[in-house]
Amino acid sequence: MTDQTADPTPEVHVRVPRYSGAARINHWIVAISFSLLALSGLALFHPSLFGLTALFGGGQTARWIHPWLGIVLAFAFCGLFLRFASQNLPEHTDIVWLSRIRHALSAGGEEYLPEVGKYNAGQKFVFWSQSFLILILLVSGVCIWDRGLAYLEATIGFRISIEVMRWAAIVHATAAVTTIVVFIIHVYSAFWVRGTIDAMTRGSVTGGWGWRHHRRWLRRKVHEGDVKRSRGND
Amino acid sequence: MFPPIPNPDVSVQKPQFGPQDLVRRSASTVPPPTRQLTPVAKLIDVSKCIGCKACQAACLVWNDLREEVGENRGTYDNPEDLTPDSLTVMRFTEWINPGTDTLEWLIRKDGCMHCAEPGCLIACPAPGAIVQYSNGIVDFIHENCIGCGYCIKGCPFNIPRISRVDNTAYKCTLCSDRVAVGQGPACQKACPTQAIVFGTKDEMKAWADDRIKDLKSRGFDHAGLYDPPGVGGTHVMYVLHHADKPHIYASLPDNPRISPLVKAWKGAGKYAGMGIIALSVVAGALHYLVQGPNRVTKKDEEEAERLAEEKT
């Protein structure tokens, strides 16, 4: 996946573990369910995209499966949240990073940025916005899910008016558009910053990647002795 | 009274309207129809209704539906609410008229109003699941319905119900199948007092005028026609003895309209949402064109290696 083939190919001698196998599986469950949710949701959002329901075997199935995928996503994302929340707490460096966002967005602008830990302010923004948006999508989604509502009414007597459902529909659509934009930012960043996707497909990144983008994190990993060194290309 | 409705001609007839007469089709467009059908309407004269529920029975029979045996909740409403099988329900209200201090028994036959501007159709995301004919009938086409329930959110009258059997939405069709062969709706045919009448919308308005004059002469000063302009008028209308306060008739909306929330969601919202998503994709593509990939350099790798060496 990485684009390390371009000249001059750096000889990689140091690899730094970034995500455990469990974290990667967790991430890809979220990623797949998110993508399917976006496809089935967009199909019902704009008539021109209704054809996307064919991917699920028709409109009825797309409609049926969407809320259940949402439940899968919500549970899986809880896993990511518990894993990564403590590493995404805001700190002073984030303000400096954000004030120099122009450099963060230009290739080679890293030298003007403070050394960052495991996550920079942009990644933290993605983490917290998705956490917040998925919570909103879950709550508003249940409020427009007739089967879910019927279950809640039978079990805990929870009922809402049609006016509340209308609010839920508009909140759900707004949050969904926002979460898709954040998703695009997330995917594009992983693609633009070469070597990043390795973290989720192999679990480790090269030392150079750590030095360039997350120097404080790399220093800590080296200090802890949590890096792998090898001769020749890994 | 109208003359008794003659029994229908039972020979096979060609439908008088069909898909070529659509003026609206959910989540899609239709070519403008080449002819305009005469708008039809069902008029329900609440002041003549005796609450016998013959209309409910006729509806079940004609549409071949069976309602579950329910529970008595202490009212005459049976079933308690509209269901996917009960497309119409008589709603009984005991109202004390503050002017005369007398009890009035208000009986309103509830069901789809066949709005000229149907909120259900506007909210529907499934192409062709809800259609509107140029005679005013709003119909659900079940093979296109995906059971999302958006029509329930769009409807200003709280009418559609989702079936647990086939997961599609049901409501009164105004007996579009009967109307297509020159018959009135089943409920109208069954009504023993002709509280329900059916004809062209103009005929029904004229008929209502006579009824309203009669009611006014009997002391119902606020008698009037319920044909709410907020939804462009309806093709099911009521004659109400208290048309100044429709809400006393089991919460009939005083000024129904498509909720602004639904209009925002299915109107500007869907274009804005698509635009924002497209914009972020374009922004990413432009950024890549201008900046190229952000690659780790050989120097970065060497620095990392030196750092790792220092430690050991």
Side-chain angles (χ1 to χ4, degrees), chain B residues 124-138:
Chain B
C124 177
I130 305 182
V131 297
Q132 184 181 36
Y133 298 98
S134 64
N135 61 8
I137 294 180
V138 178

Side-chain angles (χ1 to χ4, degrees), chain B residues 269-288:
Chain B
K270 68 182 179 199
Y271 299 108
M274 295 297 284
I276 291 165
I277 291 171
L279 213 64
S280 53
V281 172
V282 170
L286 279 179
H287 181 265
Y288 194 75

Side-chain angles (χ1 to χ4, degrees), chain A residues 91-172:
Chain A
E91 52 188 333
H92 179 69
T93 329
D94 298 331
I95 301 166
V96 183
W97 192 94
L98 284 172
S99 68
R100 299 178 194 167
I101 185 88
R102 202 162 51 83
H103 297 297
L105 290 176
S106 59
E110 283 83 358
E111 52 186 302
Y112 302 102
L113 298 172
E115 292 190 5
V116 291
K118 187 167 183 190
Y119 297 112
N120 64 38
Q123 291 166 302
K124 289 177 183 176
F125 165 79
V126 167
F127 177 82
W128 289 108
S129 9
Q130 294 302 47
S131 306
F132 177 67
L133 288 165
I134 286 168
L135 182 65
I136 292 193
L137 285 163
L138 177 69
V139 173
S140 60
V142 166
C143 290
I144 50 174
W145 182 22
D146 57 329
R147 289 274 165 134
L149 284 176
Y151 176 76
L152 288 181
E153 191 178 341
T155 49
I156 58 168
F158 177 79
R159 271 191 93 146
I160 53 169
S161 69
I162 288 180
E163 187 65 7
V164 173
M165 291 183 201
R166 289 176 184 140
W167 276 107
I170 206 158
V171 166
H172 196 74

Side-chain angles (χ1 to χ4, degrees), chain A residues 39-54:
Chain A
L39 290 170
S40 52
L42 282 171
L44 303 192
F45 178 64
H46 194 283
S48 65
L49 297 177
F50 189 78
L52 290 172
T53 57

Side-chain angles (χ1 to χ4, degrees), chain B residues 107-177:
Chain B
I107 310 165
R108 178 169 68 87
K109 177 190 182 296
D110 199 9
C112 175
M113 299 295 284
H114 295 269
C115 307
E117 284 160 26
C120 56
L121 191 149
I122 286 163
C124 177
I130 305 182
V131 297
Q132 184 181 36
Y133 298 98
S134 64
N135 61 8
I137 294 180
V138 178
D139 217 350
F140 285 7
I141 309 295
H142 287 96
E143 58 261 42
N144 295 333
C145 178
I146 61 169
C148 64
Y150 286 4
C151 50
I152 297 169
K153 285 120 201 144
C155 177
F157 296 95
N158 183 14
I159 300 298
R161 297 288 183 271
I162 306 277
S163 163
R164 287 281 176 263
V165 178
D166 67 357
N167 287 306
T168 64
Y170 285 84
K171 69 160 189 72
C172 159
T173 65
L174 207 65
C175 279
S176 55
D177 48 352

Side-chain angles (χ1 to χ4, degrees), chain A residues 3 105 166 192 194 206 208, chain B residues 153 287-288 292 294-295 301:
Chain A
D3 195 30
L105 290 176
R166 289 176 184 140
W192 176 58
R194 292 298 159 93
T206 69
Chain B
K153 285 120 201 144
H287 181 265
Y288 194 75
N294 185 345
R295 285 200 174 93
E301 296 295 358

